[in-house]
Amino acid sequence: MAHVSDLIAEDIGAYLKQHEHKSLLRFITCGSVDDGKSTLIGRLLYESKMLFEDQLAALEADSKKVGTQGGDLDFALLVDGLAAEREQGITIDVAYRFFSTDRRKFIVADTPGHEQYTRNMVTGASTADLAIILVDARYGVQTQTRRHSFLVSLIGIKRVVVAINKMDLVDFSKDVFDRIEREYREFAAQIGLEDILCIPMSALRGDNITDKSERTPWYAGPALMEHLETVQIEDDLQSGPFRLPVQWVNRPNLDFRGFSGMIASGTVRPGDRIRVQPSGRDSTVERIVTAGGDLAEAVAGQSVTLTLTDEIDCSRGDVIVAAAQPAGAGDAFDATLVWMSDDALSTGRSYLMKSGARTVGATVRAIEYRVNVNTLERSATASLALNEIARVALVTDRLIAFDPYETVHDTGSFILIDRLSNNTVGAGMLHGALRRSQTADPDWTQRATDREARAASLQQTPLVLWAGEGVDARRLEQKLMSIGRHTITLPAATADFLRIAGILLDAGLIVIVDADSAQPASVAAGLPAADRVELSVATDATGVALDATGSILTVPAGAQADQTEQIVETLRRAGRVA
């Protein structure tokens, strides 16, 4: 690797030691589509000499084959590695790249600009210390520029570089630069961004990337690389209150018991008084143990094992904090939630919530308001769709230790996980604790308690599915439960069948009747057509067919797994299983 340093040739050991102790800056690039985010990162990698010779050769070949610069080097191809990204000339997934200079190491996340990939952008920004927001000099501040700036502010990134790119296409006009800077700063003031540096540049041509450009003599600020190398970042976490989320209880033998994890904030020394939360038990740090020996002090970012002077209960998921600056503990929270699932958020539904190393059951009790990230307007809503952001009341089934996200990111952030699919469906930030009474619906005495209300709380349409001969009722219920539907199987021979089925429908459930020739389908006819679908297998059927009334579904004979998939998909498309 052609990293420029004389120490590599003179003393490789000294170079590696110097490299080990460099500070690390994590930053993201974001902004509107085609503002040059990937090109900028590619240029930084190229200029920092962090490319292998075969990578340069591949870049030259790819630039001629799929590049957008007429045969010249297309630096965006160093980052946009997915086939779909190269075909469309856009960024879809978050791409992480490492590079370094003689002064600092860097990890950069190239995030997508399209609105449909907002969740990808949030993922990339969650660990960043600084954000580079690109603006195309030809078009100025766009809707997506505002969206990403709002998300940067929401996630708590304090330092922002506004890279006014493609200045070569506006003849490096100072008037254009001043107009865009003024417009952006006016918007940034509304969302609380204050530490802002605007740089005129051309990522493609290299102006103001590593060195000051002669084509912008009117610009008095630093080049981008100079700013990245010198911006202050180290003291933020170390100056905060001490927090150590416990990831593992280290018990190699009977004589040693320590609590291991990465320090999320602050510093710790032997002799410091600490508190284990949420239990609230106090003790004193006896030793700070690492693989290289005991330490006299440990700071944020270091992974250590603490031993305590007292035998107190502490396990994975607890947080060791400074006794003089304890974290909060609660089971009801005011939070901001970014929804990341194609399936809408269900208020009242139980999810898994992971905060630090602790996983608990959690429910979104209420949505206070939804934020339009384009206009910053707030609106009432009963649900959240993919990429939407809202302020919510969140309730957990156990106490957890936490800090407001603005104070300590690691103990103030969380993800929501779907219990059935195990997919991450949301990510959020805790702002403070609520009393349980604050999360209750103040108008609960006015709530309806009919079938429609119960169905709405379950986010589904009540229905009887009459599984006739050849239809596997058990497999059908398993499939419906796997997609989050609330079901129950009822034998067709149940006494007083129509009354029991009606009660279950009123409860908002999807009732699967295991008929299998035990009862004629005419029994189901006693239910309204809107409440039932009769499922039957026909050997002469060529495909799945739902009649005009939506109450009779015929499926061809075949493998039970395929048959079940066809039934559920047909019912979903027809809106019968909503």
Side-chain angles (χ1 to χ4, degrees), residues 5-19:
S5 176
D6 294 337
L7 275 178
I8 295 178
E10 297 171 1
D11 188 344
I12 186 64
Y15 169 75
L16 292 174
K17 187 173 183 64
Q18 180 194 72
H19 188 76

Side-chain angles (χ1 to χ4, degrees), residues 28-35 37 91-92 94 109-125 130-135 141-157 159-162 184 187-188 191 193 372-376 387 389:
I28 62 167
T29 59
C30 51
S32 190
V33 180
D34 291 332
D35 279 351
K37 298 179 291 295
T91 300
I92 295 175
V94 180
D110 181 24
T111 60
H114 291 71
E115 182 175 6
Q116 70 192 86
Y117 304 122
T118 296
R119 58 182 173 181
N120 302 38
M121 185 267 171
V122 171
T123 301
L130 177 145
I132 299 177
I133 299 176
L134 281 90
V135 178
V141 177
Q142 301 291 298
T143 297
Q144 286 163 305
T145 312
R146 295 186 177 91
R147 178 187 307 116
H148 282 182
S149 297
F150 172 72
L151 293 172
V152 163
S153 172
L154 183 71
I155 292 167
I157 300 176
R159 300 170 183 84
V160 173
V161 173
V162 180
Y184 185 85
F187 171 75
I191 57 176
L193 291 177
N372 185 322
V373 296
N374 300 329
T375 64
L376 306 186
N387 292 324
I389 300 171

Side-chain angles (χ1 to χ4, degrees), residues 252-265:
N253 55 59
L254 295 176
D255 301 319
F256 185 90
R257 182 167 178 257
F259 307 101
S260 304
M262 178 182 287
I263 300 175
S265 173

Side-chain angles (χ1 to χ4, degrees), residues 134 275 447 543 572:
L134 281 90
R275 180 171 299 166
R447 277 186 172 269
R572 292 183 72 174

Side-chain angles (χ1 to χ4, degrees), residues 52-375:
F52 293 103
E53 291 181 1
D54 60 335
Q55 288 178 309
L56 284 173
L59 175 62
E60 292 175 358
D62 289 345
S63 296
K64 294 175 182 178
K65 181 180 178 182
V66 294
T68 61
Q69 303 302 323
D72 293 337
L73 290 180
D74 187 350
F75 294 108
L77 297 178
L78 288 169
V79 184
D80 291 338
L82 298 178
E85 293 178 321
R86 294 187 171 204
E87 289 170 1
Q88 301 176 60
I90 63 171
T91 300
I92 295 175
D93 201 3
V94 180
Y96 294 92
R97 293 292 184 270
F98 170 87
F99 68 98
S100 71
T101 65
D102 286 336
R103 302 173 70 176
R104 179 172 273 174
K105 296 179 288 187
F106 304 92
I107 295 177
V108 55
D110 181 24
T111 60
H114 291 71
E115 182 175 6
Q116 70 192 86
Y117 304 122
T118 296
R119 58 182 173 181
N120 302 38
M121 185 267 171
V122 171
T123 301
S126 61
T127 58
D129 305 303
L130 177 145
I132 299 177
I133 299 176
L134 281 90
V135 178
D136 191 323
R138 297 171 298 172
Y139 307 126
V141 177
Q142 301 291 298
T143 297
Q144 286 163 305
T145 312
R146 295 186 177 91
R147 178 187 307 116
H148 282 182
S149 297
F150 172 72
L151 293 172
V152 163
S153 172
L154 183 71
I155 292 167
I157 300 176
K158 300 176 182 177
R159 300 170 183 84
V160 173
V161 173
V162 180
I164 301 176
N165 193 28
K166 303 186 182 181
M167 288 294 294
D168 53 314
L169 301 182
V170 295
D171 297 325
F172 293 92
S173 169
K174 182 178 185 299
D175 291 339
V176 171
F177 174 81
D178 289 343
R179 174 178 54 80
I180 295 174
E181 179 178 15
R182 184 169 56 254
E183 182 181 357
Y184 185 85
R185 288 187 182 276
E186 289 174 357
F187 171 75
Q190 301 176 38
I191 57 176
L193 291 177
E194 298 177 352
D195 190 348
I196 301 169
L197 173 66
C198 296
I199 302 177
M201 66 175 60
S202 170
L204 183 63
R205 306 304 174 193
D207 295 274
N208 287 327
I209 303 298
T210 56
D211 299 301
K212 294 288 292 294
S213 172
E214 296 178 353
R215 294 192 279 190
T216 55
W218 41 265
Y219 171 65
L224 176 62
M225 185 64 80
E226 178 186 350
H227 180 69
L228 295 178
E229 287 182 323
T230 58
V231 64
Q232 185 75 19
I233 60 167
E234 288 83 1
D235 295 338
D236 288 2
L237 291 177
Q238 296 179 18
S239 61
F242 172 66
R243 302 289 186 263
L244 174 69
V246 177
Q247 298 175 348
W248 178 45
V249 178
N250 189 349
R251 184 81 168 170
N253 55 59
L254 295 176
D255 301 319
F256 185 90
R257 182 167 178 257
F259 307 101
S260 304
M262 178 182 287
I263 300 175
S265 173
T267 62
V268 65
R269 302 173 184 85
D272 286 354
R273 291 293 292 175
I274 59 89
R275 180 171 299 166
V276 176
Q277 288 189 296
S279 68
R281 299 180 183 274
D282 288 7
S283 186
T284 301
V285 176
E286 182 178 38
R287 298 169 57 196
I288 303 174
V289 182
T290 68
D294 287 11
L295 301 179
E297 180 184 70
V299 300
Q302 288 184 284
S303 294
V304 298
T305 296
L306 299 185
T307 63
L308 307 178
T309 57
D310 304 291
E311 291 292 334
I312 62 175
D313 182 22
C314 182
S315 57
R316 173 177 168 82
D318 289 339
V319 181
I320 300 176
V321 306
Q325 295 176 292
D331 59 3
F333 304 96
D334 173 27
T336 296
L337 179 64
V338 181
W339 194 246
M340 297 181 169
S341 173
D342 292 316
D343 295 327
L345 165 68
S346 299
T347 55
R349 180 177 175 182
S350 179
Y351 297 94
L352 293 176
M353 171 181 163
K354 186 173 178 64
S355 179
R358 169 151 292 190
T359 302
V360 297
T363 301
V364 177
R365 184 64 60 82
I367 301 175
E368 295 181 29
Y369 57 81
R370 176 176 53 202
V371 180
N372 185 322
V373 296
N374 300 329
T375 64

